[in-house]
Amino acid sequence: MAKESFDKEIQFLRLLALTGGNYDRQQFAGRLGISVHTFDKTIRRLKEVNGDADFADLFRYNYADSAEPVLLFLYRAKSMKESETRRLPVILTALKQEPMTAASLLDVCDEQLVDSAAAPPDEKTIRSDLRYLEEIGVICREPGGRPYRYRLNNDLTDCLSREELIELYEFVDIMANTQIPSVQGYLLRDNLKKALKATSSEQLEDSWQEEWREPFSYRYHYDARILDEAHLYTLLRMIREQRYISFQYYTPSRKRSYTAQNTNPLFSRASEPRRQHMLPLRVVYDHQYGRWYLLGTTRGGRIVKFRMDGIVDIIAEEEADKLLFDEYVSRLDERTRYSWLVDTSRTVTVRARFFKPLPPQNDFIQERVRMQGQWGCITEEDQYSFIYEIQVNGYTEIRPWLRSFGSSCEVLEPAPLRESLIEEWKELMNDYESV
């Protein structure tokens, strides 16, 4: 996967989702930090992958439609070279018939790819393809010595009945749409869908029903959450390996979200962001705004935080000392002990009165506070209201949550938070007063 190009296309899709296609070519290219020519070339490439359909349709979901993440679209577009898209299907189709050796697969590729514009593969390339397919679990090696024979790894679907396949498909469909590994989940869901379709074709009296393909409906509210998954598993691996990383970072306030990378250092742009160096320690997800955050330390031990939507071109560096890594993790845990999200400022006590709905309505306010209020607790309660109290690092991050309750929440302490919310509601009243 071409990392530079992949980063560019991730930022391209994010900007398309945020602007709704309202930028013209020059505005879009300028915001990305690329030339109009590069913008046009990127559009052509993505339209080819999308089957020349309207590219903006990727973000125009009906609410009742199951919206496959656009990152899955990018993985399919960028994860394989053009020669691999021709060669791997030939290998998998051959292995579907019977187990085969690398030499036999080489003969099959030479026979079926004779009209291909690319040069025929050699045995080293075929063995590399087999190692890759075995590593990701698509194929497995047959018992026995050399020469090794490989077969398709359909053990999961072959051992299940049709009813069990349907139940597994529905479970994967729910998890892929609601949990973190959405891209991997969607790939698994597609494989189960193909297995169900294959079993339907074998049972003519029980043909495949289109409505079974989408038993439930979902809609993603934050496309950036899915796009940031391109970095998520890379960063989790760096944390597991306790390895320093470097990357370019574009802050939300910057006018550009990407800069074309010049191969000639004489033409490097002075506006390119300085590379950030850090030891990643934790990844945090803000479900309210659909944002990912990366927390870690600099080489000097200073705690730093970055929004993942601004991270580009991640490069792994040397491993950190294990004792030092553990010390940094303990220090970060202590500093974020009272963080509503990632704030590390001074700890304050927030007290708020929540008003219960009138009977016979269910007390959904208290249910929500207990579910979302993290380590806060209810200190006082009567039949009309209750007092909720929590210690947090600053009140900036908890503020949107309190505000989301509307008139059902009255902030009592601290005074600056209460006063700022009063001023905010006064501004809203002025905006919505009668003309």
Side-chain angles (χ1 to χ4, degrees):
M1 183 179 295
K3 292 183 179 179
E4 190 271 340
S5 181
F6 195 48
D7 279 334
K8 174 183 63 181
E9 288 160 354
I10 287 175
Q11 297 298 334
F12 181 97
L13 288 175
R14 177 179 285 110
L15 192 58
L16 181 64
L18 293 175
T19 62
N22 292 322
Y23 281 5
D24 60 25
R25 292 163 61 242
Q26 287 79 10
Q27 290 173 320
F28 212 109
R31 185 69 174 83
L32 269 177
I34 61 178
S35 66
V36 176
H37 172 73
T38 303
F39 170 82
D40 292 338
K41 186 169 65 174
T42 305
I43 282 284
R44 285 195 301 270
R45 166 61 177 155
L46 293 176
K47 280 187 174 180
E48 288 175 2
V49 176
N50 201 36
D52 290 324
D54 186 356
F55 196 68
D57 284 343
L58 282 171
F59 303 97
R60 296 173 185 168
Y61 313 128
N62 292 325
Y63 192 85
D65 287 344
S66 181
E68 296 199 10
V70 290
L71 185 59
L72 177 59
F73 162 81
L74 267 187
Y75 270 119
R76 287 170 170 162
K78 301 291 294 179
S79 60
M80 291 191 297
K81 299 177 183 177
E82 189 173 352
S83 59
E84 291 174 333
T85 60
R86 298 191 182 98
R87 190 172 64 249
L88 292 183
V90 171
I91 293 175
L92 294 176
T93 302
L95 293 179
K96 188 176 181 180
Q97 307 301 323
E98 59 178 339
M100 301 182 71
T101 64
S104 301
L105 289 170
L106 178 61
D107 294 337
V108 172
C109 289
D110 288 340
E111 179 182 344
Q112 298 193 23
L113 299 177
V114 65
D115 297 329
S116 176
D122 54 21
E123 187 171 353
K124 181 180 179 182
T125 302
I126 297 297
R127 293 189 182 279
S128 176
D129 291 339
L130 292 173
R131 282 195 302 271
Y132 165 70
L133 293 172
E134 186 179 13
E135 180 182 345
I136 63 176
V138 175
I139 66 174
C140 59
R141 190 183 301 177
E142 289 270 88
R146 295 177 182 273
Y148 296 125
R149 293 160 57 86
Y150 298 87
R151 64 175 177 85
L152 285 183
N153 186 8
N154 291 328
D155 296 345
L156 174 64
T157 56
D158 290 346
C159 69
L160 298 177
S161 66
R162 178 174 176 76
E163 290 71 22
E164 290 172 331
L165 271 177
I166 292 175
E167 291 182 5
L168 178 60
Y169 174 80
E170 292 178 349
F171 172 78
V172 171
D173 185 54
I174 293 174
M175 300 302 288
N177 279 285
T178 58
Q179 301 300 312
I180 290 177
S182 56
V183 172
Q184 293 87 336
Y186 268 93
L187 292 173
L188 175 59
R189 194 191 72 155
D190 287 349
N191 289 335
L192 293 172
K193 187 186 300 183
K194 293 174 183 177
L196 275 170
K197 197 168 185 178
T199 58
S200 297
S201 62
E202 296 171 0
Q203 304 174 16
L204 298 179
E205 70 280 1
D206 188 15
S207 60
W208 172 258
Q209 301 294 322
E210 284 297 320
E211 59 268 22
W212 291 351
R213 299 180 62 180
E214 303 293 348
F216 306 102
S217 297
Y218 307 89
R219 182 176 186 271
Y220 279 117
H221 296 277
Y222 301 108
D223 300 289
R225 168 200 183 279
I226 307 303
L227 291 171
D228 289 336
E229 286 186 18
H231 296 320
L232 174 62
Y233 293 96
T234 299
L235 293 172
L236 292 179
R237 178 166 55 86
M238 294 297 101
I239 294 173
R240 186 171 63 252
E241 296 177 0
Q242 302 180 3
R243 188 179 295 274
Y244 284 93
I245 61 171
S246 67
F247 52 86
Q248 287 184 322
Y249 183 64
Y250 295 82
T251 63
S253 60
R254 285 181 65 92
K255 294 182 178 180
R256 288 180 176 174
S257 58
Y258 180 83
T259 302
Q261 299 182 11
N262 295 289
T263 56
N264 190 335
L266 295 177
F267 295 95
S268 61
R269 302 183 181 184
S271 60
E272 291 184 2
R274 179 173 59 87
R275 291 195 69 83
Q276 304 287 338
H277 298 265
M278 68 172 297
L279 178 63
L281 302 176
R282 183 183 301 161
V283 175
V284 177
Y285 177 63
D286 177 8
H287 68 88
Q288 190 162 13
Y289 289 104
R291 295 172 183 160
W292 292 98
Y293 291 88
L294 174 64
L295 282 68
T297 65
T298 63
R299 296 181 187 275
R302 179 172 58 89
I303 294 176
V304 289
K305 296 165 284 188
F306 298 95
R307 274 174 49 174
M308 280 174 53
D309 56 332
I311 293 177
V312 173
D313 189 23
I314 300 174
I315 296 178
E317 297 184 346
E318 76 276 9
E319 293 183 10
D321 178 78
K322 186 180 186 310
L323 294 178
L324 188 62
F325 182 87
D326 293 340
E327 179 185 338
Y328 286 155
V329 170
S330 299
R331 190 181 305 174
L332 179 65
D333 288 342
E334 181 61 29
R335 289 286 300 276
T336 58
R337 178 182 176 186
Y338 295 112
S339 294
W340 182 261
L341 188 65
V342 295
D343 199 342
T344 54
S345 58
R346 185 174 59 87
T347 303
V348 298
T349 299
V350 174
R351 295 181 73 247
R353 182 185 301 276
F354 288 89
F355 298 95
K356 301 179 180 181
L358 296 177
Q361 292 187 72
N362 181 48
D363 191 358
F364 61 91
I365 297 294
Q366 187 167 151
E367 288 180 1
R368 183 183 166 195
V369 170
R370 290 188 182 279
M371 180 177 64
Q372 300 177 351
Q374 302 200 47
W375 58 89
C377 60
I378 295 174
T379 58
E380 302 176 29
E381 184 177 5
D382 57 35
Q383 59 180 330
Y384 303 107
S385 65
F386 60 90
I387 303 295
Y388 166 80
E389 187 172 307
I390 186 174
Q391 281 188 303
V392 287
N393 291 346
Y395 51 76
T396 302
E397 293 177 343
I398 196 176
R399 178 191 177 105
W401 181 73
L402 295 169
R403 191 172 50 198
S404 68
F405 286 89
S407 60
S408 297
C409 174
E410 177 193 3
V411 173
L412 305 177
E413 295 177 12
L417 174 59
R418 176 183 172 88
E419 292 168 2
S420 65
L421 288 172
I422 291 174
E423 292 301 319
E424 185 174 293
W425 284 111
K426 285 181 179 178
E427 292 178 10
L428 288 172
M429 185 176 65
N430 291 333
D431 291 338
Y432 287 94
E433 66 181 357
S434 301
V435 178

